[in-house]
Amino acid sequence: MTQKSKPDVHRTRIFADLTPLRTSPDYRRLWFGNTVSWIGQGMTSLAVSLQVYDLTGSAFSVGLIGFCSLVPLVVFGLYGGAVADTMDRRKLGLGSSTGSFLLSVALLVSAVAGVEQVGLLYAIVALQAVCFALNSPARSSMIPRLLPPEQLPAANALSSLTSTTGTLVGPMLGGVIVGWWGYRAAYTVDAVTFTASLYAMWRLPSMLPDRGAKVLPDTTAPDTTAPGEAAPGETGGASVTGPGRAQPRERASVLEGLRFLGTRPNLRMTFFSDLCAMVLASPKALFPVVAIVWYHGDARTTGLLVAAPAFGALLGGVCSGWLGRVRRHGLAVVCAVACWGAAIAAFGLTRQLWLGIVFLALAGCADTFSMVFRGTMLQAAVPDRMRGRLQGVFIVVVAGGPRLGDFLAGSVSDLASPGVAVTGGGLACVVAVLLLALKWRGFLRYDARNPQP
């Protein structure tokens, strides 16, 4: 190795590992299409909020948008996971992506036609949430079939870049486009960008859930997936295409998935640890109050506070190349969640804006690391026949946890003070995740080389 090549190796170990994008064309198309559509959906989310406010002049009406999306996510999250364990995941992903595309077109048509009905916007938002609840478990369950296990941490880090980029870039572009060209332009861009996701789903091979049947590989079908795609244990040996593929059962029970989760302590801990962070130490609802009371700021200050965790999450995704070398994923999750709680607690103690932004960015970075390892454990330690349902549980936790956190933070702030709510919540998160780790010590010994649920 020459001296000139050493810096390249060093950068590879620090920055995001792009190996999954290089080795799997299917994954590369899926990631690119999902990234583009996330940006488009971020634009649409802001555009719908602005349009509802223009039509009603009511902040409460804008807040109802979140309620219209939350309920379908919680209700259909588990159902979408069960469906993903029943049918061809490619067909489910393609069908739900098509539904999302048509709903984006419906927004565009309503804007062009001059339809000014808030109820219609609420209905479209709710249906979009249904499509997402069906699409997300199918898409997440596909990734272990497209990549070998050792590339899953890198793939999850790239997924974090997708969601964070969409959260940051989408609303900014949406604000610019709506300000310059109006709602029709924003909805048009969203509809066009969604075609990338549709194309990626269309190019994927058939992916029926593996029911653990012993099948022979299909030697006549083209090899479109990376080697080592089968997860350990029950998932081994199934082909994703061809006549030898495993056949699904007629039904996949949601209760069966919950019973499976109830008997797998390592998987339960991935959800419990996330709930510690999202319920106990989620101060987002207090940012408007904090911006005024602590920092004597305004709406722009609130915007900085909201953007800081997302920026930290983006930085964590960019600097995620070293995560693939970590084997003790359970220990890493506990450390990351504890770091999140400690950063939130420190944020509650500072009264200098720049320092508060730094602590929030550190919290966002820790959240990315936690998400990468939790997501990898859900993909590697769960048999393929259960992946959809466990991803459905993940959607419910991700959708519901922050809302419970907002309610708890607001309640404690009213009963005591914002400082008690933020700092107390952060410390409670640290204590709770450490107590859980002491109770289920096997989680700390979890080894990615031998994933056990």
Side-chain angles (χ1 to χ4, degrees):
M1 180 182 295
T2 64
Q3 292 294 324
K4 184 177 180 180
S5 62
K6 287 183 179 179
D8 294 331
V9 174
H10 183 66
R11 281 196 297 270
T12 301
R13 292 179 178 177
I14 294 177
F15 297 112
D17 185 358
L18 303 182
T19 302
L21 299 178
R22 292 195 297 265
T23 60
S24 174
D26 286 324
Y27 175 79
R28 182 167 60 247
R29 284 189 292 267
L30 191 66
W31 181 84
F32 176 77
N34 195 35
T35 300
V36 173
S37 64
W38 261 86
I39 295 174
Q41 286 291 282
M43 294 171 47
T44 293
S45 178
L46 180 71
V48 169
S49 298
L50 293 173
Q51 189 172 8
V52 168
Y53 188 75
D54 281 347
L55 294 175
T56 65
S58 168
F60 176 77
S61 298
V62 176
L64 282 179
I65 298 174
F67 180 79
C68 291
S69 62
L70 173 62
V71 173
L73 283 175
V74 173
V75 173
F76 286 90
L78 294 176
Y79 176 74
V83 175
D85 286 340
T86 302
M87 63 179 294
D88 185 347
R89 288 163 179 163
R90 172 189 175 271
K91 291 182 179 178
L92 178 59
L94 185 59
S96 54
S97 294
T98 302
S100 295
F101 168 73
L102 292 177
L103 290 168
S104 295
V105 173
L107 284 173
L108 173 60
V109 171
S110 66
V112 171
V115 178
E116 298 183 345
Q117 296 292 330
V118 176
L120 176 62
L121 296 177
Y122 287 158
I124 292 176
V125 167
L127 291 174
Q128 285 178 330
V130 172
C131 290
F132 179 83
L134 295 173
N135 183 273
S136 184
R139 188 178 62 248
S140 299
S141 301
M142 293 174 184
I143 294 177
R145 304 279 289 269
L146 299 175
L147 298 171
E150 62 270 16
Q151 292 184 18
L152 292 180
N156 284 302
L158 291 171
S159 296
S160 75
L161 284 175
T162 292
S163 58
T164 307
T165 301
T167 302
L168 284 174
V169 176
M172 288 191 297
L173 286 178
V176 171
I177 291 176
V178 170
W180 281 83
W181 298 288
Y183 301 115
R184 284 181 285 184
Y187 297 146
T188 299
V189 173
D190 181 30
V192 172
T193 56
F194 229 107
T195 58
S197 181
L198 285 174
Y199 176 75
M201 285 288 181
W202 179 69
R203 288 291 305 272
L204 288 173
S206 174
M207 289 194 193
L208 283 167
D210 179 13
R211 296 300 177 188
K214 293 182 179 180
V215 295
L216 296 175
D218 178 16
T219 57
T220 62
D223 184 14
T224 58
T225 59
E229 65 192 11
E234 298 177 66
T235 60
S239 170
V240 291
T241 59
R245 64 194 177 197
Q247 297 299 319
R249 291 182 238 165
E250 291 183 359
R251 297 178 60 190
S253 169
V254 172
L255 292 179
E256 182 186 2
L258 294 176
R259 284 194 295 267
F260 173 84
L261 179 61
T263 59
R264 301 305 193 272
N266 287 336
L267 296 179
R268 288 202 310 272
M269 266 295 291
T270 63
F271 294 111
F272 289 160
S273 59
D274 188 40
L275 287 173
C276 286
M278 296 298 99
V279 176
L280 298 176
S282 181
K284 185 177 180 181
L286 301 180
F287 285 166
V289 177
V290 165
I292 297 172
V293 175
W294 292 359
Y295 303 122
H296 308 290
D298 51 18
R300 289 171 294 183
T301 308
T302 303
L304 289 175
L305 296 177
V306 172
F311 177 77
L314 180 62
L315 184 63
V318 171
C319 301
S320 62
W322 58 277
L323 298 182
R325 301 198 302 273
V326 177
R327 303 300 182 188
R328 301 283 292 278
H329 288 183
L331 178 61
V333 169
V334 171
C335 291
V337 172
C339 287
W340 162 278
I344 295 298
F347 165 69
L349 294 174
T350 183
R351 296 298 180 266
Q352 295 183 355
L353 179 60
W354 69 270
L355 193 56
I357 290 174
V358 169
F359 283 127
L360 288 176
L362 290 175
C365 186
D367 186 49
T368 290
F369 297 155
S370 170
M371 186 279 294
V372 168
F373 292 120
R374 286 184 291 106
T376 301
M377 293 174 72
L378 282 176
Q379 291 169 337
V382 177
D384 188 67
R385 64 185 178 85
M386 287 285 181
R387 281 190 185 130
R389 278 165 284 187
L390 269 294
Q391 291 295 332
V393 175
F394 177 80
I395 289 177
V396 173
V397 170
V398 169
R403 272 72 178 187
L404 291 175
D406 290 344
F407 175 77
L408 180 61
S411 300
V412 174
S413 178
D414 285 344
L415 293 173
S417 69
V420 171
V422 177
T423 300
L427 294 176
C429 169
V430 175
V431 172
V433 75
L434 292 179
L435 289 176
L436 288 172
L438 289 175
K439 181 174 176 59
W440 287 289
R441 298 188 182 185
F443 186 70
L444 300 177
R445 297 190 294 271
Y446 178 96
D447 192 330
R449 293 167 293 190
N450 182 29
Q452 297 296 325

